[in-house]
Amino acid sequence: QEVESSIGKPIQIGNFIYTIQDVSFRKSVGDEFAKENADGIYMLVNLTIKNIDNETHTLDGSLFAVTDKDGTKYEFSTNASTALEMSGKKTLFLKECQPNITTKGLLVFEVPEKGIYYLHLIGSFWGVESVRVLLK
């Protein structure tokens, strides 16, 4: 079952409260030392996450996915995330999320073109609950 939400609205699901701050698109990410160029285009999602559980959770790509209007699924881009981290940007890949602390960072997905997409957020590592957020 999926609930729908929108950018800027806090979403509580499972162990987390997610808030999407904004979305941007770039052809490349990183800097002159660590750069990744997209075959399509990178979609960067600026996100805050608060862990409301009583234990630490490590965030990984399995908690997030993007789909387009036709339902085609795009996975988290590890290569682009690594380039961003190496150039000093804060991503959420393998970030430890401590209890009752809000964590901020970027999620990166490679998509074919700028457009309207949905970010799917999962409330736990078992994926029982999820929310679909319209990104536009």
Side-chain angles (χ1 to χ4, degrees), residues 19 35 39 43 57 91 94 109 111 121 123 136:
T19 306
K35 188 173 191 167
D39 293 324
M43 181 172 63
H57 293 282
T91 72
L94 297 180
F109 300 88
V111 295
L121 304 168
K136 63 176 185 174

Side-chain angles (χ1 to χ4, degrees), residues 5-21:
S5 191
S6 57
I7 293 175
K9 181 179 170 191
I11 307 154
Q12 181 175 337
I13 180 163
N15 300 322
F16 305 104
I17 298 174
Y18 298 99
T19 306
I20 297 170
Q21 305 300 322

Side-chain angles (χ1 to χ4, degrees), residues 6 11 14 37 40 49 58 61 80 99 119 121:
S6 57
I11 307 154
N37 294 308
I49 301 172
T58 300
L119 177 64
L121 304 168

Side-chain angles (χ1 to χ4, degrees), residues 94-109:
L94 297 180
K95 175 84 174 153
E96 282 190 351
C97 201
Q98 302 293 337
N100 300 308
I101 295 176
T102 300
T103 301
K104 298 177 183 179
L106 295 169
L107 294 174
V108 188
F109 300 88

Side-chain angles (χ1 to χ4, degrees), residues 2-121:
E2 256 189 347
V3 178
E4 292 219 5
S5 191
S6 57
I7 293 175
K9 181 179 170 191
I11 307 154
Q12 181 175 337
I13 180 163
N15 300 322
F16 305 104
I17 298 174
Y18 298 99
T19 306
I20 297 170
Q21 305 300 322
D22 60 55
V23 178
S24 60
F25 293 89
R26 294 195 187 139
K27 189 64 182 161
S28 65
V29 295
D31 60 18
E32 66 271 15
F33 303 109
K35 188 173 191 167
E36 283 291 323
N37 294 308
D39 293 324
I41 193 164
Y42 289 123
M43 181 172 63
L44 283 67
V45 180
N46 184 359
L47 186 68
T48 60
I49 301 172
K50 183 173 184 180
N51 178 1
I52 54 174
D53 197 9
N54 59 2
E55 60 186 61
T56 301
H57 293 282
T58 300
L59 305 173
D60 69 15
S62 69
L63 289 174
F64 314 101
V66 164
T67 57
D68 63 17
K69 64 184 183 308
D70 299 322
T72 303
K73 185 176 179 180
Y74 302 93
E75 301 289 339
F76 179 82
S77 175
T78 307
N79 290 349
S81 182
T82 301
L84 282 168
E85 281 284 337
M86 291 177 70
S87 66
K89 302 279 190 238
K90 191 171 174 185
T91 72
L92 293 171
F93 186 62
L94 297 180
K95 175 84 174 153
E96 282 190 351
C97 201
Q98 302 293 337
N100 300 308
I101 295 176
T102 300
T103 301
K104 298 177 183 179
L106 295 169
L107 294 174
V108 188
F109 300 88
E110 186 174 359
V111 295
E113 60 190 353
K114 287 184 183 179
I116 296 173
Y117 294 92
Y118 294 93
L119 177 64
H120 299 262
L121 304 168

